[in-house]
Amino acid sequence: MASTSIAGVDDKELTIHIPDLVKVFKDGSIERLQNSPLVPPSTLGSVSSKDVVISNNPSIFARLYLPTKFIHHHDAHKVPILVYFHGGGFFFESAFNERHHNYFNLFLSKAEADILVVSVEYRLAPEIPLPAAYHDCWQALKWVASNDSDPWILNHGDFQRVFLGGDSAGANLVHNVALRAGAEALPNAVKVLGAFLSQPYFLSTKPIGSEAVEGHEESPPYLVWGLVYPNAPGGVDNPLINPLAPEAPSLATLGCSKIIVCVAEKDSIRDRGVWYYQAVKNSGWHGHVELYEAEHEDHAFNIHTPESENALKLMKRLAHFILH
């Protein structure tokens, strides 16, 4: 699979094509090939959601999810806060799309998870190239920890139990935000308790595990990084995408107490998740890290088929990780 550069005068000619993912045209327009439709927040059965503004400059938003039973009760019962970063290669998907909206309604209801979810809408590449998304997600976490966030968070959130979570590129964001939380103080001395990284998107110039040596530079993960961060210092050995790069911060500085790395057996980037898990385990980090593998599943199966047996099993495992 390779990017395609086509010289010509027609503004609708392709300049970048990553099959099944994205087309970028000479006039600057972009066709994202896997987006699901945007949907409004809702109250569906036991789960309510609403949209909030985190920042107008830059534009950062979020969709909050909370079990409906808490909406009108301002009692002392507080629930863990999950700050979630969606996947989509840094260039597609949304906190407001049907896929993620359905996922969190199912997650809170099917896993019986009394959790407040803050699903972050960060700015997407290539219109706003990386590293913007990393800064947006850090700002979102700071907003959650501040006294200026939403009443749902202030009234119902347990600031002793703040978690980060994400899938694919979102899991990459989790790693980098957790590193920053280990180096910089959050408002009100809030700490991140734990983090889950589901099928994380990492990369390096050197193939690992089952990754093909020949054609590595033409693989979709490699091409995507070139699209979303074309001027990345070090390319795919930039510490943002390669957590074991020579200039990367020590994994021992991750700013949380427990981590679960989730991989899928048939995922082409499965070995990167195992690689990351082993690196954290051997880093001298003082937290607890574990690996969870879903058998017979492919990349982002839990988001694409959230009602499948393995997706529900993973939801329950993540809920247990957050609640216990």
Side-chain angles (χ1 to χ4, degrees):
M1 231 176 251
S3 61
T4 306
S5 295
I6 303 174
V9 295
D10 184 351
D11 278 348
K12 293 312 289 182
E13 284 198 77
L14 283 169
T15 56
I16 298 172
H17 180 203
I18 306 176
D20 302 322
L21 289 176
V22 65
K23 294 178 180 179
V24 181
F25 296 93
K26 190 177 180 183
D27 66 357
S29 61
I30 297 162
E31 186 179 345
R32 292 168 167 92
L33 304 177
Q34 290 195 24
N35 273 345
S36 68
L38 300 183
V39 294
S42 62
T43 296
L44 291 172
S46 62
V47 182
S48 293
S49 56
K50 67 175 177 178
D51 295 342
V52 297
V53 177
I54 292 174
S55 166
N56 283 310
N57 186 23
S59 297
I60 312 169
F61 306 94
R63 179 161 293 178
L64 309 187
Y65 297 84
L66 185 67
T68 305
K69 63 186 178 184
F70 296 117
I71 299 293
H72 302 297
H73 295 281
H74 302 288
D75 55 23
H77 186 75
K78 303 286 187 178
V79 299
I81 302 167
L82 169 62
V83 182
Y84 176 85
F85 310 131
H86 70 78
F90 302 103
F91 70 90
F92 72 103
E93 297 284 36
S94 167
F96 304 143
N97 71 10
E98 184 175 50
R99 199 172 281 143
H100 285 93
H101 188 68
N102 290 344
Y103 177 79
F104 280 114
N105 280 305
L106 283 167
F107 177 59
L108 295 190
S109 59
K110 296 286 188 180
E112 299 177 349
D114 285 350
I115 296 168
L116 193 162
V117 176
V118 180
S119 182
V120 178
E121 180 75 346
Y122 52 87
R123 292 171 295 164
L124 296 180
E127 293 92 339
I128 310 291
L130 296 179
Y134 296 101
H135 300 311
D136 292 355
C137 291
W138 175 249
Q139 290 302 317
L141 177 59
K142 285 178 64 178
W143 175 82
V144 167
S146 75
N147 295 323
D148 298 320
S149 63
D150 186 82
W152 279 14
I153 299 171
L154 298 172
N155 292 333
H156 305 293
D158 182 351
F159 291 96
Q160 301 299 310
R161 294 186 290 167
V162 174
F163 288 80
L164 302 175
D167 293 81
S168 193
N172 175 299
L173 287 161
V174 166
H175 160 72
N176 283 286
V177 171
L179 277 177
R180 193 162 176 179
E184 295 181 38
L186 288 165
N188 299 313
V190 168
K191 304 287 187 186
V192 176
L193 177 57
F196 74 77
L197 294 86
S198 187
Q199 300 133 63
Y201 171 34
F202 294 123
L203 199 55
S204 64
T205 50
K206 183 180 179 181
I208 64 160
S210 61
E211 293 175 353
V213 174
E214 195 168 328
H216 181 56
E217 295 182 6
E218 299 299 315
S219 66
Y222 214 107
L223 298 175
V224 165
W225 186 248
L227 169 72
V228 298
Y229 198 179
N231 300 315
V236 297
D237 283 324
N238 184 284
L240 292 172
I241 190 71
N242 179 1
L244 299 185
E247 297 178 6
S250 169
L251 295 173
T253 66
L254 284 161
C256 57
S257 300
K258 61 178 187 173
I259 291 173
I260 184 168
V261 182
C262 308
V263 298
E265 182 185 10
K266 295 183 178 180
D267 185 1
S268 65
I269 60 172
R270 172 205 175 270
D271 291 350
R272 288 287 168 182
V274 177
W275 174 75
Y276 178 78
Y277 158 75
Q278 290 171 338
V280 172
K281 190 176 180 180
N282 296 327
S283 69
W285 178 65
H286 292 301
H288 174 74
V289 61
E290 60 183 292
L291 182 70
Y292 177 98
E293 180 158 19
E295 295 180 348
H296 315 302
E297 297 292 355
D298 210 333
H299 190 68
F301 75 95
N302 51 316
I303 303 297
H304 290 281
T305 57
E307 296 192 70
S308 68
E309 182 181 350
N310 279 338
L312 292 171
K313 194 181 294 185
L314 178 54
M315 282 182 198
K316 290 177 179 177
R317 181 66 194 87
L318 294 175
H320 185 271
F321 173 78
I322 293 168
L323 292 166
H324 297 91

